[in-house]
Amino acid sequence: ASTFGYVFGTTEYDGGVRTVSYYTASATYTSYIPATLRNVIILDELVLQYGAFYATPIRNVVLPETLIAIQDKVFYNSDTLTSLSIPSSVETFGTLIAAECDSISTVTIESLTFGTYMFQNNISLTTASLLSAEAIPAYAFDGCTSLTMANLNQSVDVSPCTSIGAYAFRNCSSLVTILLPNTIETIGAYAFYNCTALSLHLSSEQTTVLPTNLTTLGDYAFYNCDALEHILLPANLSSIGTYVFAENDILSTVTFKGTILGTYMFYNDISLKDLSLKDGTTNIPGHAFESCTSLVYLQLPNTLTTISTYAFNNNSSLKTVVIPASVTTVSDHTFSNCSALRYVTMNNTTIGAYMFYNCTMLVDVDMDHVTSIGEYAFYHCIAFQNKTLPNTLLTIGAYAFAQCYS
């Protein structure tokens, strides 16, 4: 196994194309490749060594079925290479194998795995077929801005794909469709970050749902995916990171099959209109629905016990809220700056600090069982008309009703 330039090139200029190939992480070999050589067929090789085709002018390469290992940067920065097919025989992969290859438009992976950063920043790549992959490695297609289709729709005779690594499709701004099998259990942090054209499809049905086996969603997994309009969250979800679906401008409907939420989960999703949380949900994490400025309908389950800080802050279209009696903890700023909120029904004992801060249309809150009102709880609620405090009330925080002019 050798570098491409060592086999085919010369050490002195003879009219060919100068290339610098890496054969270790720091050692290079300078050679001159024949300018007319574009196609390479490798008939019998076990290992492609570090940087074997690094920055070479080839357009097509055929890899043998005998190949078992591809080391780091084998095709790195080969800007004239137009396609790449990895045979099923390959078991071991390095990193950045075919990254920064500006002309690759299609890739086919027949092996069970492939390398991290493998196709990073391949700006012409449009289609990826990954029919046997057991996992999509981290950063595999990061920055592939022309990628429109990724197919993980696997046949029944291969091991199932179970994970999509962190940053795997980050900034794939042209990615319209990815076919996900139901066997996916983990979607890593930033996996589809800034995929602004993305719609989700399962391999078994053309609906916008996440895989039924999915248990883990990493931080920012679908952040700024502005083409997602409807999402169905599966029942098996048990771990959800921060900002998972935040800043998705047209997301209007979310269906919850499970009971777990994440902090900042739908932050600033300005088109989300209806929200019905599933029975069994016990906690709404901090900032989960903050700045969902189109939210008009909110149904909270009777199993809910905790509403965390800023959970519904700045929901400027929300008019009515019913807080179930099961809620025992309401944190600060829960409904602050909900400028359209008028009526609140609650059977709870505590109104948290800043809970209705600057709710300028708020008229009435049922406080029959309240024992404590936190500081600034109704500050600047200029339309507030409830002047009768319950006999159960024990403490009132500073400025709780300041600037309530009515």
Side-chain angles (χ1 to χ4, degrees):
S2 303
T3 65
F4 180 71
Y6 183 83
V7 174
F8 292 99
T10 62
T11 57
E12 297 181 359
Y13 178 70
D14 60 357
V17 178
R18 181 179 182 271
T19 181
V20 178
S21 297
Y22 281 76
Y23 54 90
T24 70
S26 59
T28 62
Y29 179 84
T30 300
S31 58
Y32 296 88
I33 306 298
T36 57
L37 185 58
R38 291 291 181 266
N39 303 305
V40 175
I41 300 174
I42 302 173
L43 297 178
D44 185 13
E45 190 72 68
L46 294 177
V47 178
L48 290 180
Q49 290 187 340
Y50 190 108
F53 295 88
Y54 188 111
T56 55
I58 62 171
R59 292 179 181 172
N60 301 291
V61 61
V62 178
L63 303 180
E65 292 293 338
T66 57
L67 193 64
I68 60 172
I70 304 176
Q71 296 182 357
D72 296 352
K73 294 187 175 182
V74 165
F75 300 101
Y76 185 87
N77 200 30
S78 294
D79 284 344
T80 57
L81 188 64
T82 59
S83 63
L84 187 63
S85 180
I86 306 297
S88 59
S89 57
V90 183
E91 299 174 353
T92 304
F93 290 84
T95 188
L96 291 163
I97 286 172
E100 306 288 347
C101 295
D102 288 350
S103 297
I104 289 182
S105 60
T106 60
V107 296
T108 301
I109 307 293
E110 297 179 359
S111 55
L112 298 180
T113 185
F114 55 104
T116 57
Y117 297 89
M118 186 150 178
F119 302 104
Q120 187 182 46
N121 292 332
N122 286 3
I123 59 175
S124 297
L125 181 62
T126 60
T127 304
S129 181
L130 314 166
L131 303 186
S132 301
E134 295 178 339
I136 308 301
Y139 296 91
F141 298 94
D142 179 31
C144 294
T145 54
S146 297
L147 184 66
T148 60
M149 170 72 171
N151 187 2
L152 280 68
N153 187 2
Q154 299 172 309
S155 59
V156 296
D157 57 347
V158 299
S159 299
C161 185
T162 59
S163 67
I164 297 175
Y167 302 87
F169 295 93
R170 182 182 61 166
N171 290 327
C172 292
S173 54
S174 298
L175 184 62
V176 174
T177 301
I178 182 164
L179 299 179
L180 299 177
N182 269 318
T183 54
I184 297 288
E185 298 174 0
T186 301
I187 296 177
Y190 295 83
F192 296 97
Y193 179 96
N194 203 33
C195 291
T196 53
L198 179 66
S199 61
L200 290 173
H201 297 290
L202 289 179
S203 56
S204 58
E205 54 182 313
Q206 297 296 303
T207 55
T208 308
V209 297
L210 294 171
T212 55
N213 284 12
L214 187 66
T215 61
T216 303
L217 278 171
D219 297 343
Y220 293 86
F222 293 94
Y223 183 92
N224 198 35
C225 292
D226 283 343
L228 291 181
E229 189 171 358
H230 309 287
I231 288 292
L232 189 151
L233 298 173
N236 289 326
L237 267 176
S238 58
S239 177
I240 299 177
T242 62
Y243 291 97
V244 172
F245 293 100
E247 303 284 357
N248 290 348
D249 286 350
I250 71 168
L251 183 63
S252 61
T253 304
V254 179
T255 302
F256 296 89
K257 295 293 186 181
T259 60
I260 303 297
L261 300 169
T263 56
Y264 290 95
M265 188 169 181
F266 298 97
Y267 176 81
N268 204 32
D269 286 352
I270 58 176
S271 297
L272 186 62
K273 296 179 181 179
D274 301 323
L275 180 61
S276 297
L277 299 181
K278 185 177 174 59
D279 284 344
T281 302
T282 60
N283 176 42
I284 299 176
H287 307 267
F289 300 95
E290 182 176 3
S291 294
C292 294
T293 53
S294 296
L295 186 65
V296 294
Y297 177 78
L298 174 61
Q299 182 175 343
L300 303 177
N302 290 324
T303 55
L304 190 65
T305 61
T306 302
I307 305 176
S308 298
T309 184
Y310 289 92
F312 297 97
N313 175 57
N314 198 35
N315 286 1
S316 55
S317 297
L318 190 62
K319 295 181 179 180
T320 302
V321 172
V322 177
I323 301 176
S326 58
V327 175
T328 57
T329 302
V330 181
S331 299
D332 300 348
H333 292 275
T334 307
F335 294 97
S336 57
N337 298 304
C338 292
S339 55
L341 185 62
R342 293 178 62 82
Y343 301 102
V344 177
T345 300
M346 56 185 297
N347 294 302
N348 322 95
T349 60
T350 301
I351 294 177
Y354 297 86
M355 185 170 176
F356 301 105
Y357 179 93
N358 201 35
C359 292
T360 54
M361 296 294 291
L362 185 63
V363 173
D364 186 39
V365 175
D366 183 352
M367 295 189 288
D368 287 348
H369 304 281
V370 170
T371 60
S372 174
I373 299 175
E375 62 181 2
Y376 293 89
F378 294 93
Y379 184 90
H380 201 236
C381 293
I382 57 177
F384 193 62
Q385 297 177 3
N386 189 339
K387 303 297 186 181
T388 303
L389 298 178
N391 293 328
T392 55
L393 187 62
L394 299 175
T395 61
I396 302 176
Y399 301 99
F401 293 94
Q403 297 195 26
C404 293
Y405 301 132
S406 64

